[in-house]
Amino acid sequence: MEKGEDSSTFEMGNSAQERSLPYVPDCYVVPPSCQPCDSDSEIVPTIDVSRLKGADDERREVIRELSLACQHLGFFLIVNHGINQDILDDALEVAKGFFELPAKEKKKFMSNDVYAPVRYSTSLKDGLDKIQFWRIFLKHYAHPLHRWIHLWPENPPGYREKMGKFCEEVKKLSIEIMGAITESLGLGRDYLSSRMDENGTQVMAVNCYPPCPSPEKALGLPPHSDYSCITILLQNLAGLKIFDPMAHGGSGRWVVVPQVTGVLKVHIGDHVEVLSNGLYKSVVHKVTLNEEKTRISLASLHSLDMDDKMRVPCELVNDENPVRYKESSFKDFLDFLVKNDISQGDRFIDTLRIKD
Protein backbone atom coordinates (compact mmCIF):
# COMPACT_ATOMS: atom_id res chain seq x y z
CA MET A 1 0.00 0.00 0.00
CA GLU A 2 1.18 3.49 -0.81
CA LYS A 3 1.35 6.64 1.21
CA GLY A 4 -1.82 8.69 0.99
CA GLU A 5 -4.22 5.77 1.22
CA ASP A 6 -7.44 6.91 2.79
CA SER A 7 -8.91 5.96 6.16
CA SER A 8 -11.31 3.43 4.66
CA THR A 9 -8.34 1.10 4.19
CA PHE A 10 -7.57 1.16 7.92
CA GLU A 11 -10.29 -0.92 9.43
CA MET A 12 -10.34 -2.19 12.98
CA GLY A 13 -7.69 -4.83 13.44
CA ASN A 14 -5.84 -3.62 10.36
CA SER A 15 -4.80 -0.13 11.41
CA ALA A 16 -1.50 1.56 10.63
CA GLN A 17 -0.41 1.40 14.25
CA GLU A 18 -1.21 -2.31 14.55
CA ARG A 19 0.73 -3.00 11.36
CA SER A 20 3.70 -0.87 12.48
CA LEU A 21 3.76 1.06 9.22
CA PRO A 22 7.03 2.99 8.74
CA TYR A 23 5.18 6.21 7.86
CA VAL A 24 2.12 8.14 9.02
CA PRO A 25 -0.71 7.86 6.46
CA ASP A 26 -2.59 11.00 5.51
CA CYS A 27 -5.69 10.03 7.46
CA TYR A 28 -3.68 10.19 10.72
CA VAL A 29 -2.18 13.63 10.16
CA VAL A 30 -3.78 16.15 12.49
CA PRO A 31 -4.24 19.84 11.50
CA PRO A 32 -1.28 22.10 12.37
CA SER A 33 -3.24 23.76 15.18
CA CYS A 34 -3.65 20.37 16.86
CA GLN A 35 -0.19 18.94 16.23
CA PRO A 36 2.08 18.29 19.20
CA CYS A 37 4.32 21.22 19.99
CA ASP A 38 6.87 22.05 22.61
CA SER A 39 5.15 23.01 25.82
CA ASP A 40 6.45 24.20 29.12
CA SER A 41 6.70 21.62 31.83
CA GLU A 42 5.80 22.85 35.25
CA ILE A 43 5.19 21.43 38.65
CA VAL A 44 1.70 19.93 38.47
CA PRO A 45 -0.09 19.97 41.86
CA THR A 46 0.82 16.91 43.92
CA ILE A 47 -1.40 15.85 46.81
CA ASP A 48 -0.46 13.43 49.57
CA VAL A 49 -3.79 11.67 50.00
CA SER A 50 -2.63 9.76 53.08
CA ARG A 51 -3.14 13.06 54.92
CA LEU A 52 -6.87 12.74 54.36
CA LYS A 53 -6.76 10.20 57.20
CA GLY A 54 -4.89 12.60 59.49
CA ALA A 55 -6.15 15.01 62.14
CA ASP A 56 -8.98 17.41 61.29
CA ASP A 57 -6.61 20.32 60.64
CA GLU A 58 -4.48 18.22 58.33
CA ARG A 59 -7.48 16.95 56.39
CA ARG A 60 -8.79 20.50 55.98
CA GLU A 61 -5.44 21.55 54.52
CA VAL A 62 -5.50 18.69 52.00
CA ILE A 63 -9.08 19.57 51.08
CA ARG A 64 -7.96 23.16 50.44
CA GLU A 65 -5.08 21.97 48.21
CA LEU A 66 -7.44 19.71 46.29
CA SER A 67 -9.97 22.50 45.81
CA LEU A 68 -7.34 24.84 44.37
CA ALA A 69 -6.12 22.14 41.98
CA CYS A 70 -9.67 21.44 40.80
CA GLN A 71 -10.34 25.12 40.19
CA HIS A 72 -7.08 25.85 38.39
CA LEU A 73 -6.23 22.80 36.26
CA GLY A 74 -8.89 20.19 37.00
CA PHE A 75 -5.97 17.84 37.46
CA PHE A 76 -3.51 16.72 40.14
CA LEU A 77 -1.04 13.98 40.99
CA ILE A 78 -1.49 11.81 44.06
CA VAL A 79 1.16 10.16 46.21
CA ASN A 80 0.92 7.86 49.23
CA HIS A 81 -2.34 6.55 47.83
CA GLY A 82 -1.99 3.16 49.50
CA ILE A 83 -1.90 0.95 46.40
CA ASN A 84 1.08 -1.39 46.49
CA GLN A 85 3.61 -0.88 43.69
CA ASP A 86 3.43 -4.58 42.80
CA ILE A 87 -0.28 -4.18 42.00
CA LEU A 88 0.48 -1.22 39.71
CA ASP A 89 3.34 -3.04 37.99
CA ASP A 90 1.31 -6.23 37.52
CA ALA A 91 -1.57 -4.32 35.91
CA LEU A 92 0.76 -2.62 33.44
CA GLU A 93 2.43 -5.96 32.73
CA VAL A 94 -0.77 -7.83 31.83
CA ALA A 95 -2.01 -4.85 29.80
CA LYS A 96 1.19 -4.92 27.77
CA GLY A 97 0.84 -8.70 27.48
CA PHE A 98 -2.66 -8.38 26.03
CA PHE A 99 -1.51 -6.06 23.24
CA GLU A 100 1.34 -8.44 22.42
CA LEU A 101 -1.10 -11.32 21.80
CA PRO A 102 -1.61 -12.57 18.23
CA ALA A 103 -4.16 -10.51 16.30
CA LYS A 104 -6.55 -13.48 16.20
CA GLU A 105 -6.75 -13.50 20.01
CA LYS A 106 -7.37 -9.76 20.33
CA LYS A 107 -9.96 -9.73 17.55
CA LYS A 108 -12.25 -11.90 19.71
CA PHE A 109 -13.11 -8.67 21.52
CA MET A 110 -13.28 -6.39 18.48
CA SER A 111 -16.27 -4.07 18.42
CA ASN A 112 -17.21 -0.58 17.31
CA ASP A 113 -20.23 -0.60 19.65
CA VAL A 114 -19.60 2.05 22.31
CA TYR A 115 -22.23 0.40 24.54
CA ALA A 116 -20.42 -2.97 24.60
CA PRO A 117 -19.19 -3.94 28.10
CA VAL A 118 -15.91 -5.28 26.66
CA ARG A 119 -14.43 -4.12 23.38
CA TYR A 120 -11.15 -3.96 21.51
CA SER A 121 -10.74 -1.18 19.00
CA THR A 122 -8.43 1.45 17.55
CA SER A 123 -8.55 5.22 17.09
CA LEU A 124 -11.92 6.60 18.30
CA LYS A 125 -14.62 5.38 15.92
CA ASP A 126 -12.91 3.41 13.19
CA GLY A 127 -13.84 4.39 9.66
CA LEU A 128 -16.24 7.10 10.84
CA ASP A 129 -14.10 9.93 12.22
CA LYS A 130 -12.35 12.28 9.82
CA ILE A 131 -8.99 11.74 11.51
CA GLN A 132 -7.66 8.50 12.96
CA PHE A 133 -5.48 8.28 16.05
CA TRP A 134 -2.41 6.20 16.79
CA ARG A 135 -3.95 4.14 19.54
CA ILE A 136 -5.12 0.60 20.28
CA PHE A 137 -7.37 0.01 23.28
CA LEU A 138 -9.35 -2.46 25.29
CA LYS A 139 -12.27 -1.09 27.29
CA HIS A 140 -14.21 -3.05 29.85
CA TYR A 141 -16.58 -2.42 32.72
CA ALA A 142 -15.13 -3.18 36.13
CA HIS A 143 -17.72 -2.46 38.85
CA PRO A 144 -19.13 -4.43 40.45
CA LEU A 145 -16.25 -6.70 39.51
CA HIS A 146 -18.14 -9.99 39.84
CA ARG A 147 -20.64 -8.86 37.22
CA TRP A 148 -18.08 -8.21 34.51
CA ILE A 149 -14.80 -10.02 35.11
CA HIS A 150 -15.91 -13.25 33.43
CA LEU A 151 -16.25 -11.28 30.18
CA TRP A 152 -12.66 -9.99 30.27
CA PRO A 153 -9.82 -11.61 28.32
CA GLU A 154 -8.47 -14.85 29.77
CA ASN A 155 -5.13 -14.19 28.08
CA PRO A 156 -2.49 -13.33 28.89
CA PRO A 157 -2.65 -15.65 31.92
CA GLY A 158 -3.31 -13.64 35.04
CA TYR A 159 -5.04 -10.78 33.23
CA ARG A 160 -8.29 -11.12 35.13
CA GLU A 161 -6.62 -11.61 38.48
CA LYS A 162 -4.05 -8.81 38.21
CA MET A 163 -6.19 -6.25 36.40
CA GLY A 164 -9.08 -7.10 38.72
CA LYS A 165 -6.97 -6.39 41.80
CA PHE A 166 -5.90 -3.07 40.33
CA CYS A 167 -9.53 -2.17 39.56
CA GLU A 168 -10.66 -3.00 43.09
CA GLU A 169 -7.92 -0.90 44.67
CA VAL A 170 -8.48 2.06 42.35
CA LYS A 171 -12.23 1.88 42.97
CA LYS A 172 -11.70 2.24 46.72
CA LEU A 173 -9.33 5.14 46.10
CA SER A 174 -11.89 6.85 43.85
CA ILE A 175 -14.48 6.83 46.63
CA GLU A 176 -12.01 8.45 49.00
CA ILE A 177 -11.07 11.14 46.49
CA MET A 178 -14.68 11.84 45.54
CA GLY A 179 -15.50 12.19 49.23
CA ALA A 180 -12.77 14.81 49.50
CA ILE A 181 -14.10 16.60 46.41
CA THR A 182 -17.68 16.77 47.68
CA GLU A 183 -16.38 17.87 51.09
CA SER A 184 -14.39 20.65 49.41
CA LEU A 185 -17.67 21.86 47.86
CA GLY A 186 -19.35 21.99 51.26
CA LEU A 187 -21.53 18.96 50.51
CA GLY A 188 -19.91 16.55 52.97
CA ARG A 189 -17.75 13.53 52.20
CA ASP A 190 -20.71 11.11 51.95
CA TYR A 191 -22.72 13.15 49.45
CA LEU A 192 -22.13 10.71 46.55
CA SER A 193 -20.47 7.77 48.30
CA SER A 194 -23.39 5.31 48.22
CA ARG A 195 -24.35 6.20 44.64
CA MET A 196 -20.79 5.59 43.47
CA ASP A 197 -19.68 2.79 45.78
CA GLU A 198 -22.73 0.55 45.55
CA ASN A 199 -24.14 1.41 42.14
CA GLY A 200 -21.53 3.46 40.35
CA THR A 201 -19.93 2.73 37.00
CA GLN A 202 -16.23 2.00 36.56
CA VAL A 203 -14.85 1.73 33.03
CA MET A 204 -11.27 0.67 32.39
CA ALA A 205 -9.66 2.09 29.27
CA VAL A 206 -6.55 -0.01 28.74
CA ASN A 207 -4.58 1.97 26.15
CA CYS A 208 -1.61 1.12 23.97
CA TYR A 209 0.22 3.78 21.94
CA PRO A 210 2.76 1.99 19.72
CA PRO A 211 5.89 3.76 18.44
CA CYS A 212 5.01 6.31 15.76
CA PRO A 213 7.46 7.03 12.90
CA SER A 214 6.55 10.74 12.81
CA PRO A 215 5.17 11.61 16.25
CA GLU A 216 5.07 15.31 15.39
CA LYS A 217 2.36 14.65 12.78
CA ALA A 218 -0.11 12.52 14.72
CA LEU A 219 -1.71 12.13 18.14
CA GLY A 220 -2.64 9.22 20.34
CA LEU A 221 -5.80 11.04 21.37
CA PRO A 222 -7.07 14.52 20.43
CA PRO A 223 -7.82 17.28 22.96
CA HIS A 224 -10.84 16.19 24.97
CA SER A 225 -12.25 16.00 28.49
CA ASP A 226 -13.47 12.83 30.20
CA TYR A 227 -17.16 12.14 30.71
CA SER A 228 -16.51 10.65 34.14
CA CYS A 229 -16.72 12.19 37.58
CA ILE A 230 -13.02 11.49 37.94
CA THR A 231 -10.46 9.45 36.05
CA ILE A 232 -7.49 7.87 37.84
CA LEU A 233 -4.61 7.20 35.46
CA LEU A 234 -1.56 4.96 35.61
CA GLN A 235 1.04 5.12 32.82
CA ASN A 236 4.45 3.63 32.07
CA LEU A 237 5.79 6.58 30.02
CA ALA A 238 5.17 10.30 29.70
CA GLY A 239 2.89 11.37 26.86
CA LEU A 240 -0.05 13.01 28.61
CA LYS A 241 -0.44 16.77 28.19
CA ILE A 242 -3.06 18.88 29.98
CA PHE A 243 -4.31 22.33 29.03
CA ASP A 244 -3.83 25.17 31.50
CA PRO A 245 -6.51 27.71 30.51
CA MET A 246 -5.22 30.38 32.92
CA ALA A 247 -1.69 30.63 31.47
CA HIS A 248 -0.49 33.43 29.21
CA GLY A 249 -3.18 35.84 30.29
CA GLY A 250 -5.99 33.43 29.58
CA SER A 251 -4.84 32.22 26.17
CA GLY A 252 -3.66 28.99 27.81
CA ARG A 253 -0.83 26.55 27.21
CA TRP A 254 -0.18 22.84 27.13
CA VAL A 255 1.62 21.36 30.13
CA VAL A 256 3.63 18.14 30.09
CA VAL A 257 2.63 15.77 32.87
CA PRO A 258 5.80 14.20 34.29
CA GLN A 259 6.07 10.46 34.71
CA VAL A 260 7.11 9.33 38.20
CA THR A 261 6.93 5.68 39.23
CA GLY A 262 4.09 4.98 41.64
CA VAL A 263 2.39 8.34 41.20
CA LEU A 264 -1.22 8.31 39.95
CA LYS A 265 -2.92 11.07 37.98
CA VAL A 266 -6.44 12.35 38.70
CA HIS A 267 -8.53 14.01 35.99
CA ILE A 268 -11.61 16.01 36.91
CA GLY A 269 -14.35 14.95 34.48
CA ASP A 270 -17.42 16.61 33.02
CA HIS A 271 -19.73 15.39 35.78
CA VAL A 272 -17.71 17.02 38.56
CA GLU A 273 -17.85 20.26 36.58
CA VAL A 274 -21.63 19.85 36.64
CA LEU A 275 -21.63 18.88 40.32
CA SER A 276 -19.66 22.01 41.22
CA ASN A 277 -21.87 24.23 39.04
CA GLY A 278 -18.77 25.27 37.11
CA LEU A 279 -16.45 26.03 40.03
CA TYR A 280 -14.32 23.03 39.08
CA LYS A 281 -13.44 22.46 35.43
CA SER A 282 -13.03 19.18 33.60
CA VAL A 283 -9.47 19.08 32.31
CA VAL A 284 -8.81 19.15 28.57
CA HIS A 285 -5.98 16.77 27.72
CA LYS A 286 -4.37 14.99 24.79
CA VAL A 287 -1.89 12.17 24.20
CA THR A 288 1.36 12.63 22.29
CA LEU A 289 3.44 9.84 20.82
CA ASN A 290 6.92 8.38 21.07
CA GLU A 291 9.07 7.42 18.11
CA GLU A 292 10.81 4.53 19.84
CA LYS A 293 8.77 3.28 22.78
CA THR A 294 5.29 1.90 23.41
CA ARG A 295 3.27 3.80 25.98
CA ILE A 296 0.74 1.88 28.08
CA SER A 297 -1.84 3.72 30.16
CA LEU A 298 -4.62 2.44 32.39
CA ALA A 299 -7.43 4.96 32.76
CA SER A 300 -10.05 4.07 35.36
CA LEU A 301 -13.14 6.22 34.78
CA HIS A 302 -15.53 6.55 37.71
CA SER A 303 -19.13 7.73 37.34
CA LEU A 304 -22.61 7.28 38.71
CA ASP A 305 -24.75 4.37 37.54
CA MET A 306 -25.43 4.21 33.79
CA ASP A 307 -28.80 6.00 34.02
CA ASP A 308 -28.21 7.98 37.23
CA LYS A 309 -28.33 11.70 36.47
CA MET A 310 -25.71 14.10 37.76
CA ARG A 311 -27.23 17.48 38.54
CA VAL A 312 -26.22 20.70 40.26
CA PRO A 313 -26.98 20.39 44.01
CA CYS A 314 -29.46 22.87 45.41
CA GLU A 315 -26.87 23.70 48.09
CA LEU A 316 -24.71 25.36 45.42
CA VAL A 317 -27.48 27.45 43.88
CA ASN A 318 -28.62 30.94 44.89
CA ASP A 319 -29.59 34.22 43.24
CA GLU A 320 -25.97 35.01 42.38
CA ASN A 321 -25.22 31.46 41.23
CA PRO A 322 -28.11 30.00 39.24
CA VAL A 323 -28.02 26.49 37.82
CA ARG A 324 -25.51 26.57 34.94
CA TYR A 325 -25.73 22.96 33.70
CA LYS A 326 -28.35 20.50 32.56
CA GLU A 327 -28.50 17.12 34.25
CA SER A 328 -27.04 14.12 32.43
CA SER A 329 -25.98 10.50 32.84
CA PHE A 330 -23.19 8.18 31.70
CA LYS A 331 -25.55 6.78 29.05
CA ASP A 332 -26.26 10.30 27.79
CA PHE A 333 -22.56 10.63 27.05
CA LEU A 334 -22.48 7.33 25.14
CA ASP A 335 -25.42 8.56 23.08
CA PHE A 336 -23.48 11.77 22.41
CA LEU A 337 -20.39 9.78 21.37
CA VAL A 338 -22.37 7.83 18.79
CA LYS A 339 -23.67 11.01 17.15
CA ASN A 340 -20.64 13.30 17.39
CA ASP A 341 -16.99 13.45 16.38
CA ILE A 342 -14.86 14.40 19.36
CA SER A 343 -11.80 14.40 17.11
CA GLN A 344 -13.22 17.62 15.68
CA GLY A 345 -13.48 19.26 19.10
CA ASP A 346 -17.04 18.29 20.01
CA ARG A 347 -17.29 18.17 23.81
CA PHE A 348 -20.09 16.64 25.85
CA ILE A 349 -19.81 19.33 28.54
CA ASP A 350 -20.61 22.03 25.94
CA THR A 351 -24.03 20.45 25.41
CA LEU A 352 -24.76 20.67 29.15
CA ARG A 353 -24.02 24.35 29.74
CA ILE A 354 -27.10 26.52 30.12
CA LYS A 355 -26.66 29.67 28.07
CA ASP A 356 -27.36 33.00 29.74
Side-chain angles (χ1 to χ4, degrees):
M1 293 187 181
E2 301 296 328
K3 292 185 181 182
E5 57 190 341
D6 63 33
S7 61
S8 65
T9 61
F10 295 107
E11 299 175 350
M12 249 187 321
N14 194 38
S15 63
Q17 59 271 32
E18 289 171 294
R19 289 156 53 192
S20 301
L21 290 187
Y23 64 91
V24 174
D26 291 346
C27 59
Y28 286 81
V29 177
V30 296
S33 61
C34 296
Q35 286 179 359
C37 56
D38 292 336
S39 59
D40 298 326
S41 181
E42 66 178 25
I43 298 176
V44 178
T46 300
I47 296 176
D48 181 347
V49 291
S50 69
R51 296 163 59 214
L52 289 170
K53 297 181 174 70
D56 289 348
D57 288 349
E58 188 172 30
R59 182 178 174 88
R60 278 193 292 269
E61 177 58 24
V62 180
I63 296 293
R64 186 189 70 82
E65 293 172 10
L66 182 146
S67 179
L68 291 174
C70 291
Q71 291 178 60
H72 178 202
L73 286 175
F75 182 90
F76 50 92
L77 310 179
I78 55 173
V79 296
N80 296 326
H81 43 68
I83 303 179
N84 187 283
Q85 186 63 44
D86 287 344
I87 293 175
L88 304 182
D89 293 341
D90 285 350
L92 286 171
E93 178 189 16
V94 292
K96 181 173 180 288
F98 173 81
F99 294 112
E100 291 174 344
L101 292 173
K104 181 179 179 181
E105 186 75 14
K106 291 180 287 190
K107 287 180 180 179
K108 294 177 182 178
F109 303 94
M110 188 175 292
S111 174
N112 223 357
D113 178 6
V114 302
Y115 303 98
V118 180
R119 69 185 184 107
Y120 169 81
S121 190
T122 62
S123 193
L124 289 171
K125 291 185 293 184
D126 297 275
L128 299 176
D129 292 331
K130 294 179 181 178
I131 298 173
Q132 288 187 267
F133 295 92
W134 206 267
R135 174 177 78 140
I136 312 164
F137 67 88
L138 176 72
K139 282 191 177 179
H140 50 65
Y141 293 170
H143 182 77
L145 193 62
H146 66 81
R147 184 184 299 173
W148 307 112
I149 195 169
H150 69 284
L151 300 175
W152 295 4
E154 293 183 274
N155 290 314
Y159 183 91
R160 291 179 179 178
E161 176 190 355
K162 293 177 179 179
M163 190 62 71
K165 185 62 176 176
F166 174 78
C167 290
E168 287 181 316
E169 293 297 309
V170 172
K171 179 63 181 180
K172 289 187 287 187
L173 181 60
S174 75
I175 299 300
E176 184 174 26
I177 292 172
M178 277 305 301
I181 288 173
T182 55
E183 187 173 344
S184 73
L185 292 169
L187 300 170
R189 73 173 76 177
D190 298 324
Y191 183 79
L192 289 178
S193 59
S194 63
R195 291 167 70 186
M196 292 191 70
D197 190 15
E198 297 171 15
N199 303 308
T201 300
Q202 179 183 10
V203 177
M204 283 301 305
V206 184
N207 300 304
C208 175
Y209 303 95
C212 179
S214 299
E216 73 283 356
K217 292 182 179 180
L219 286 172
L221 278 175
H224 68 286
S225 58
D226 289 347
Y227 52 88
S228 54
C229 291
I230 59 171
T231 299
I232 300 177
L233 180 79
L234 171 66
Q235 62 183 14
N236 69 333
L237 290 173
L240 176 66
K241 290 188 178 181
I242 59 174
F243 190 69
D244 178 358
M246 307 296 289
H248 299 319
S251 61
R253 69 169 175 177
W254 286 101
V255 176
V256 177
V257 176
Q259 168 56 21
V260 181
T261 300
V263 174
L264 297 174
K265 292 83 183 164
V266 178
H267 301 243
I268 296 303
D270 291 345
H271 274 166
V272 162
E273 181 168 331
V274 171
L275 175 72
S276 70
N277 204 21
L279 178 63
Y280 297 165
K281 303 297 184 184
S282 56
V283 62
V284 175
H285 53 288
K286 64 183 178 181
V287 176
T288 58
L289 301 164
N290 191 295
E291 190 170 3
E292 299 177 352
K293 297 180 180 180
T294 296
R295 178 174 178 266
I296 301 292
S297 74
L298 309 180
S300 183
L301 292 87
H302 302 270
S303 303
L304 302 179
D305 188 49
M306 183 71 71
D307 295 306
D308 195 356
K309 301 281 188 179
M310 179 66 81
R311 57 182 60 87
V312 177
C314 60
E315 293 91 333
L316 301 183
V317 176
N318 54 42
D319 291 341
E320 290 75 33
N321 294 292
V323 174
R324 304 182 190 278
Y325 297 83
K326 304 171 189 174
E327 64 180 22
S328 67
S329 67
F330 180 96
K331 184 176 182 301
D332 291 332
F333 168 78
L334 295 180
D335 295 341
F336 169 87
L337 188 61
V338 168
K339 299 174 184 176
N340 295 272
D341 185 354
I342 67 172
S343 72
Q344 300 299 301
D346 296 341
R347 291 184 64 200
F348 181 53
I349 192 67
D350 293 335
T351 69
L352 304 180
R353 294 192 180 98
I354 297 173
K355 298 179 181 179
D356 295 333

